Amino acid sequence: MPQTPHMEHHFTAGETVRDIVIGMSDGLTVPFALAAGLSGAVSLTTIIITAGLAEIAAGSIAMGLGGYLAARSDAEHYASERLREQQEVKEKTEAEKAEVLDVFTSYGLSAAESTPIVEALSKRPGAWIDFMMRFELGLEKPDPKRALTSALTIAASYIIGGLIPLSPYFFFSPATTALLVSVIATLLALLLFGYVKGRFTGTRPLRSALQTALIGGLAATAAFLIARLIQR
């Protein structure tokens, strides 16, 4: 009988989701706290909008730059560790073979079963180094475009997240009314964001939505209270 091909579906965009989470969560909380703090001090929404847009611009640049530097640091770390492994394979061949043997035995293979594999792998230096990078050091080769992609993803997510709590101030006046709408909009955005994140990552969407709303709400509340204390 004909067999249906086995297809495995795995989520492989973990780094992108992480960048979106970082940018969106900060974008939802920091501009919200700034706008909420100013709402108690000024009644003109134009002032709050100007300050909020300035913060979103500065925050997105800072967050994007942080993501870029973090990704570049990961790439540089991988390159330096790979260079070290290349030197050790040449200069400490037997010791490296022993390390490969230890990796296989840690998975339950006997020394007799592992030795032929180790010898075969040692004849392929490139594959040998790749094996050591992944299974000894736990390092994956980074995407060369990762730094720029991470920076743009975090910055864009921050802008989108920041505009959500700030947008009510464009349409409602006075500032206290806009603040109430901003609180509702931010809470709904956190719930929706958490639900979508759960769907993409394979976790329970409802639980992810509630967890994201709770954590994001606590962060936004803490930031708001700190802003109010500073005003006093």
Side-chain angles (χ1 to χ4, degrees), residues 85-198:
E85 284 295 329
Q86 288 174 341
Q87 294 174 342
E88 290 182 350
V89 164
K90 292 179 180 179
E91 300 171 3
K92 304 176 182 178
T93 305
E94 295 304 318
E96 289 296 297
K97 286 183 179 180
E99 290 179 357
V100 176
L101 188 65
D102 290 339
V103 171
F104 284 122
T105 54
S106 69
Y107 282 92
L109 277 69
S110 66
E113 293 171 328
S114 304
T115 299
I117 304 176
V118 174
E119 291 300 326
L121 192 60
S122 66
K123 295 177 182 178
R124 299 172 176 82
W128 188 2
I129 295 169
D130 289 340
F131 180 89
M132 297 301 288
M133 293 296 294
R134 177 174 297 179
F135 292 99
E136 181 193 17
L137 302 179
L139 298 176
E140 296 284 348
K141 185 178 180 179
D143 184 347
K145 299 179 181 179
R146 170 69 186 151
L148 180 59
T149 301
S150 177
L152 294 176
T153 302
I154 293 175
S157 300
Y158 189 95
I159 292 172
I160 295 171
L163 288 175
I164 292 173
L166 188 64
S167 59
Y169 294 89
F170 287 91
F171 306 104
F172 296 93
S173 185
T176 51
T177 302
L179 173 59
L180 178 60
V181 179
S182 178
V183 170
I184 297 172
T186 302
L187 181 60
L188 291 176
L190 287 168
L191 286 168
L192 179 61
F193 175 55
Y195 185 88
V196 173
K197 182 183 69 173

Side-chain angles (χ1 to χ4, degrees), residues 75-87:
E76 291 169 359
H77 174 62
Y78 182 90
S80 65
E81 289 296 326
R82 186 176 181 86
L83 181 60
R84 184 177 65 83
E85 284 295 329
Q86 288 174 341
Q87 294 174 342

Side-chain angles (χ1 to χ4, degrees), residues 31 34 47-61 158 163 166:
L34 173 65
I47 297 176
I48 298 173
I49 291 171
T50 302
L53 291 176
E55 195 289 323
I56 290 173
S60 63
I61 293 172
Y158 189 95
L163 288 175
L166 188 64

